[in-house]
């Protein structure tokens, strides 16, 4: 036999009539499918990373590598066994009949099938779901398959069989080497298994599981030592986006959802009646950061950019020598909205999801499958936020300057993304299975159309049966966040940072969860939304106390600045107070005011098409004022409501017609507040426009009145 003979003419001595075809099939599958699978996985994430970088988002190199590793591993685990089964018949036929080698056609077939599945999914992830893009993508898949066939066929015809097989093996080796480093990064990253990912552990201890994480953490807290490295206190500020305090066991919820915070809160100042100034992320965070009411800072529906006229906590602390950083899973806390102004480092963790997403993950989620591997069972970004925050904290360890670190966790926000291990603690197996299918096939659409009749306003948006397991899933998200907070604090304690750190844990607004026939948030000012969590721990504080006086999120601005730098200039709103001073000198009562400015133009158009007076009322601008006993609400359509919060905490019995005299003190104070509180008039020229990439991210979370489909 000459070296130019066809490889199919090479005589082989079968080891066994059955085992030899199996061996040949496995060999061809390994040498063909592994390189193709790795190339597709790496290519998807590298392209997504390039697009993300081009859009101006910072992406850490280790995150790009970990994302590539996850995609490569997933493609390998799917396509290798699948194609082994697919190619077994043609391999057996060609070997039996001594026909031409099957490598060219099988390689082309593999490229065609993988590309035909991956390309439309990748286009959907990129937001290009129109028919013309899909057709163009499939045409590229066909071209790639044809090119693969031609190249391999020509190789076989012009080189010796020995050299061909050597090149094939070298290709396999090169692909494995290319994937090795990304896979190692992946295994060591939060992407591998968010449920069990922890920041650090002693060398002699195994990674704690979720069932024992809190007990382990508490013991480590007792053993750890810390020292005050700076004269000014550090500040750790955590916001639990969309978390209701009445679903936190540390605030008295009868279901155990916060075992770590239960213990931690024994030595903190807890404010049992804290109210948000606004009903969703933007006005709530603006109030916290500036110390001003929605009327004063001007950020709400239709006004998504914080004016430079308003000094934020980060602005002022930066000017006083603090190193400042924000790690937000909510894309609103960004440079574009200007809510991140003052932070020297402002990472939108949500944007890092883009380079980590790939076709098989997208299809797995779209088809509502219960995950069988941990890396297809993501959280909303809390594990990654902790990873990034810990990296930043490690950099601060050698700095003499104090630091201010802000973290926003989004797991409590729809669609309640948390790993299965946490769902299992609160839900039946059938509910867990249904929660994955419901997320995309049913509730996923509701998320996109939040702010419309389907998510917040329509009583049938989430039916009674589904509400039961969604509430349980909501509780599971809080349990997961409890572990994430414990993990972050443990890392800080190991770094010796906690003893000189002011710690604030708050939520920005609540969630209706079916109350008042609404599910999500933003509309009206009932306490299901307005009532938020707030706990403050000063350095070395060991005794806990609970303050029942009504307070507001806008009070945090003054509180922080007074404690951290003894601020003499007060840029907060006129009614802001120092909460730590309140804890020392309690007030018998106080008024808290909450505002809802009405929906944006897009949502207003959708609501008007309903022709439903009840839904139209729910979208009316509304202001609420309350003290320790009564709450008064006035809507733009003239509707007035009065509730006795002591006997009717759910706000179901409107007393305005039967006991209007009880509203008189509230109405009088609200009038004085309106007269004294100026409505902000923008004096800068900052653009209200956001990039299309940011708009897509916000719409994917249900903001801005949907994705545009409902306008058709």
């Amino acid at each position: 036999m000459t070296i130019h003979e066809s490889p199919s003419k090479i005589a082989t001595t079968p080891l066994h009539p059955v085992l030899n075809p199996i061996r040949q099939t496995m060999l061809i599958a390994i040498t063909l499918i592994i390189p193709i699978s790795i190339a597709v996985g790496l290519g998807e994430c590298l392209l997504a990373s390039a697009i993300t970088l081009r859009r101006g988002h910072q992406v850490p190199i280790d995150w790009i590598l970990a994302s590539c590793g996850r995609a490569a591993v997933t493609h390998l685990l799917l396509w290798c066994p699948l194609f082994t089964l697919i190619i077994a018949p043609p391999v057996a036929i060609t070997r039996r009949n001594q026909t031409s080698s099957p490598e060219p056609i099988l390689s082309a077939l593999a490229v065609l099938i993988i590309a035909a599945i991956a390309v439309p999914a990748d286009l959907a992830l990129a937001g290009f779901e129109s028919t013309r893009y899909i057709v163009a993508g499939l045409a590229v898949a066909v071209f790639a398959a044809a090119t693969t066939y031609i190249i391999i066929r020509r190789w076989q015809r012009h080189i010796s069989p020995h050299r061909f097989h050597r090149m094939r093996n070298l290709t396999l080796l090169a692909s494995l080497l290319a994937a090795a480093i990304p896979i190692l990064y992946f295994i060591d990253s939060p992407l591998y298994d968010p449920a069990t990912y922890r920041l650090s552990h002693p060398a002699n201890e195994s990674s704690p599981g979720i069932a024992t994480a809190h007990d382990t953490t508490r013991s480590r807290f007792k053993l750890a030592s810390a020292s005050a490295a700076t004269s000014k206190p550090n500040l750790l500020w955590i916001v639990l986006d969309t978390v209701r305090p009445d679903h936190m066991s540390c605030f008295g919820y009868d279901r155990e959802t916060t075992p770590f915070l239960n213990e931690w809160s024994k030595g903190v100042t807890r404010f049992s009646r804290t109210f948000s100034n606004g009903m969703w992320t933007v006005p709530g965070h603006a109030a916290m950061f500036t110390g001003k009411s929605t009327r004063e800072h001007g950020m709400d529906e239709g006004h998504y950019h914080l004016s430079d006229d308003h000094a934020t906590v980060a602005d002022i602390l930066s000017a006083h020598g603090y190193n400042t950083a924000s790690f937000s899973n909510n894309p609103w806390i960004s440079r574009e909205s200007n809510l991140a102004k003052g932070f020297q480092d402002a990472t939108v963790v949500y944007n890092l999801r883009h380079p980590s997403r790939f076709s098989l993950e997208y299809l797995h989620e779209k088809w509502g499958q219960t995950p069988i591997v941990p890396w297809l069972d993501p959280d909303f970004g809390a594990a990654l936020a902790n990873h990034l925050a810990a990296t930043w904290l490690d950099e601060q360890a050698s700095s003499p300057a104090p630091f201010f670190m802000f973290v926003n966790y989004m797991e409590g926000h729809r669609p309640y993304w948390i790993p299965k291990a946490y769902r299992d603690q609160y839900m039946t197996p059938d509910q867990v299975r249904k929660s994955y299918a419901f997320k995309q096939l049913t509730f996923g659409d509701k998320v996109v159309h939040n702010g419309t009749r389907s998510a917040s306003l329509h009583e049938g948006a989430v039916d009674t049966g589904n509400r039961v397991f969604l509430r349980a899933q909501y509780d599971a998200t809080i349990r997961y966040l409890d572990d994430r907070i414990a993990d972050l604090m443990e890392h800080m304690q190991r770094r010796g940072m906690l003893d000189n750190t002011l710690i604030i844990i708050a939520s920005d607004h609540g969630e209706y969860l079916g109350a008042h026939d609404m599910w999500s948030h933003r509309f009206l000012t009932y306490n299901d939304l307005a009532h938020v969590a707030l706990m403050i721990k000063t350095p070395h504080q060991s005794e806990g106390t609970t303050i029942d006086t009504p307070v507001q999120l806008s009070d945090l601005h003054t509180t922080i600045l007074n404690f951290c730098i003894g601020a003499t200039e007060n840029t907060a709103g006129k009614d802001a107070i120092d909460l730590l001073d309140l804890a020392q000198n309690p007030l018998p009562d106080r008024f808290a005011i909450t505002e809802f400015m009405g929906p944006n133009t897009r949502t207003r158009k959708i609501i008007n098409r309903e022709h439903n007076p009840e839904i139209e009322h729910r979208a009316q601008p509304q202001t609420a004022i309350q003290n320790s006993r009564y709450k008064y609400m006035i809507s733009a359509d003239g509707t007035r409501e009065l509730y006795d919060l002591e006997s009717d905490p759910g706000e179901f019995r409107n007393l305005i017609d039967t006991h209007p005299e009880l509203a008189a003190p509230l109405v009088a104070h609200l009038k004085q507040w309106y007269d004294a509180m100026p409505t902000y008039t923008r004096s800068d020229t900052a653009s209200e426009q956001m990039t299309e990439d940011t708009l897509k991210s916000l719409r994917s979370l249900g903001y801005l009145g949907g994705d545009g489909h409902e306008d058709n």
Side-chain angles (χ1 to χ4, degrees):
M1 180 186 67
T2 68
I3 62 173
H4 298 292
E5 290 182 47
S6 170
S8 63
K9 301 291 181 68
I10 300 174
T12 58
T13 302
L15 300 176
H16 188 279
V18 174
L19 294 180
N20 195 47
I22 293 176
R23 181 182 65 83
Q24 293 172 345
T25 299
M26 293 294 294
L27 179 62
I28 293 176
I30 289 172
T31 55
L32 292 182
I33 303 306
I34 287 180
I36 294 173
S37 299
I38 290 175
V40 171
L42 298 182
E44 282 184 306
C45 288
L46 288 174
L47 181 59
S49 298
I51 294 173
T52 304
L53 290 168
R54 183 179 177 83
R55 290 170 174 171
H57 303 307
Q58 297 292 326
V59 185
I61 184 63
D62 59 342
W63 186 247
I64 294 176
L65 290 171
S67 300
C68 289
R70 181 175 72 143
V73 166
T74 309
H75 278 286
L76 284 170
L77 291 179
L78 174 64
W79 299 121
C80 283
L82 184 60
F83 269 95
T84 300
L85 296 175
I86 291 175
I87 71 175
V91 168
I93 293 172
T94 56
R95 295 306 187 192
R96 182 183 304 166
N97 298 336
Q98 294 295 298
T99 58
S100 61
S101 173
E103 278 92 341
I105 187 65
L106 292 177
S107 298
L109 179 64
V111 171
L112 181 62
I113 292 176
I114 294 176
I117 292 175
V119 169
D122 288 330
L123 289 172
L125 281 172
F128 302 111
E129 298 181 83
S130 65
T131 303
R132 62 172 179 157
Y133 285 115
I134 293 177
V135 170
L138 293 177
V140 172
V142 172
F143 176 79
T147 303
T148 301
Y149 176 84
I150 293 171
I151 291 174
I152 296 179
R153 190 64 178 160
R154 285 188 175 181
W155 281 357
Q156 284 189 326
R157 288 179 176 177
H158 294 89
I159 63 176
S160 68
H162 175 73
R163 188 177 177 189
F164 173 78
H165 289 298
R166 186 172 64 179
M167 289 181 63
R168 189 179 65 181
N169 293 336
L170 286 174
T171 302
L172 172 62
L173 179 61
S175 64
L176 290 173
L177 290 175
I181 292 178
I183 289 174
L184 290 175
Y185 270 91
F186 159 58
I187 293 172
D188 196 43
S189 76
L191 281 173
Y192 180 72
D193 186 359
T196 60
Y197 178 79
R198 296 295 182 267
L199 294 175
S200 59
H201 302 288
N204 61 344
E205 289 188 28
S206 60
S207 175
I210 63 172
T212 60
H214 293 302
D215 292 337
T216 305
T217 300
R218 281 196 293 270
S219 66
R220 292 172 185 170
F221 269 52
K222 295 173 183 176
L223 294 172
S225 61
S227 61
T230 63
S231 57
K232 295 177 182 176
N234 303 313
L235 171 61
L236 170 65
W237 188 349
I238 296 173
V239 167
L240 308 177
D241 209 296
T242 324
V243 168
R244 292 173 52 153
D246 61 351
H247 279 250
M248 301 172 71
S249 52
C250 61
F251 277 89
Y253 188 38
D254 56 6
R255 188 180 235 175
E256 183 73 286
T257 56
T258 56
F260 168 75
L261 290 178
N262 290 352
E263 186 72 17
W264 180 80
S265 64
K266 292 178 180 179
V268 310
T269 304
R270 180 171 45 196
F271 297 85
S272 65
R273 293 182 54 77
T274 307
F275 299 97
S276 179
N277 300 76
M279 296 294 92
W280 64 294
T281 299
V282 166
H285 280 76
M288 287 188 284
F289 290 168
T290 66
K292 298 177 180 179
S293 66
T294 305
R295 175 175 296 268
E296 292 173 284
H297 61 63
M299 287 194 78
D300 208 315
E301 295 284 11
H303 298 285
Y304 306 129
H305 191 278
L306 180 65
S307 170
D308 286 332
D309 293 343
H310 304 298
T312 66
V313 171
D315 279 328
I316 297 172
L317 291 184
S318 292
H320 281 77
Y322 275 72
N323 295 332
T324 58
S326 166
F327 301 94
S328 175
N329 285 282
N330 194 314
W332 280 116
I333 317 304
S334 66
R335 301 290 188 200
E336 287 187 84
S337 69
N338 213 30
L339 283 171
K341 83 187 190 79
F343 288 107
Q344 296 148 6
D345 296 298
T347 301
V348 181
V349 181
Y350 183 85
N351 290 337
L352 298 182
R353 285 174 43 82
H354 302 319
S356 70
R357 303 210 67 187
F358 62 104
S359 56
L360 296 184
E361 182 210 32
Y362 170 80
L363 293 173
H364 180 273
E365 179 184 306
K366 181 178 179 63
W367 294 336
Q369 300 300 303
T370 302
I372 59 174
V373 290
W375 59 86
L376 292 180
D377 190 20
D379 62 3
F380 209 111
L384 175 57
N386 275 12
H387 174 80
L388 297 172
T391 301
W392 186 83
L393 286 170
D394 292 345
E395 296 171 354
Q396 305 310 306
S398 59
S399 172
F403 67 79
F404 164 28
M405 187 174 75
F406 174 82
V407 181
N408 172 291
Y409 294 126
M410 276 279 282
E411 275 67 17
H413 193 287
R414 301 165 331 281
Y416 316 131
W417 279 335
I418 30 94
K420 180 176 179 294
Y422 288 83
R423 303 184 196 211
D424 288 338
Q425 297 185 48
Y426 296 88
M427 306 163 71
T428 66
D430 184 62
Q431 288 176 334
V432 170
R433 177 196 58 77
K434 190 176 182 181
S435 69
Y436 286 100
F438 193 67
K439 171 189 174 294
Q440 179 64 31
L441 301 180
T442 305
F443 195 54
D445 294 335
K446 306 292 190 285
V447 172
V448 173
H449 299 151
N450 173 39
T452 69
R453 60 187 181 277
S454 49
S456 291
L457 299 177
H458 197 275
E459 62 186 46
V462 182
D463 63 42
T464 303
N466 291 329
R467 292 180 183 187
V468 173
F469 84 79
L470 282 174
R471 289 193 189 101
Q473 188 174 339
Y474 179 80
D475 289 344
T477 68
I478 299 174
R479 175 64 179 83
Y480 178 71
L481 290 176
D482 187 71
D483 270 0
R484 286 290 154 228
I485 294 171
D487 191 31
L488 182 60
M489 288 194 187
E490 174 188 359
H491 184 81
M492 293 182 65
Q493 182 75 330
R494 292 188 181 285
R495 276 291 188 182
M497 294 175 169
L498 278 187
D499 282 354
N500 192 40
T501 297
L502 174 68
I503 303 173
I504 295 174
I505 298 178
S507 54
D508 59 342
H509 57 78
E511 187 88 324
Y512 275 119
L513 300 179
H516 302 281
D517 287 327
M518 291 182 281
W519 186 262
S520 60
H521 53 269
R522 292 202 304 177
F523 293 89
L524 302 182
T525 57
Y526 291 109
N527 282 350
D528 305 277
L529 258 60
H531 187 204
V532 294
L534 178 59
M535 294 178 283
I536 301 177
K537 182 178 178 64
T538 59
H540 307 295
Q541 181 178 354
S542 59
E543 296 296 323
T545 184
T546 298
I547 304 300
D548 296 322
T549 304
V551 300
Q552 302 179 126
L553 289 180
S554 54
D555 295 324
L556 285 171
H557 182 280
T558 296
T559 304
I560 292 169
L561 296 182
N562 284 351
F563 186 85
C564 290
I565 60 176
T568 54
E569 75 246 24
N570 190 353
T571 63
K574 294 185 177 181
D575 58 350
I577 64 172
D578 186 327
L579 297 177
L580 295 176
D581 182 65
L582 175 68
Q584 297 296 320
N585 304 285
L587 295 173
D589 205 355
R590 184 180 178 227
F591 293 103
I593 295 174
T594 299
E595 298 172 278
F596 166 57
M597 297 300 190
N600 58 42
T601 303
R602 181 193 294 267
T603 302
R604 171 60 62 188
K605 290 179 180 178
I606 297 168
I607 292 169
N608 289 341
R609 292 203 296 263
E610 286 287 310
H611 302 296
N612 184 323
E614 182 179 3
I615 290 179
E616 289 178 2
H617 164 69
R618 292 176 181 176
Q620 291 291 318
Q622 187 179 76
T623 302
I625 180 171
Q626 59 190 303
N627 56 21
S628 297
R629 178 71 182 272
Y630 296 105
K631 180 177 179 179
Y632 173 76
M633 301 158 64
I634 176 72
S635 299
D637 62 3
T639 302
R640 299 192 304 154
E641 300 171 66
L642 176 68
Y643 299 100
D644 184 343
L645 299 175
E646 188 174 286
S647 63
D648 180 26
E651 300 166 276
F652 297 120
R653 297 186 296 274
N654 187 0
L655 305 177
I656 196 64
D657 291 331
T658 57
H659 298 283
E661 72 282 358
L662 297 176
L666 300 169
V667 173
H669 185 86
L670 184 60
K671 184 179 183 305
Q672 294 174 4
W673 185 83
Y674 273 130
D675 292 339
M677 205 64 61
T679 300
Y680 176 70
T681 302
R682 190 172 295 276
S683 62
D684 61 13
T685 57
S687 173
E688 291 282 342
Q689 298 300 314
M690 293 186 172
T691 65
E692 185 58 32
D693 180 48
T694 300
L695 293 175
K696 286 179 180 178
S697 296
L698 295 172
R699 287 169 186 159
S700 73
L701 294 173
Y703 296 113
L704 305 180
D707 61 358
H709 296 312
E710 294 188 338
D711 281 347
N712 297 334

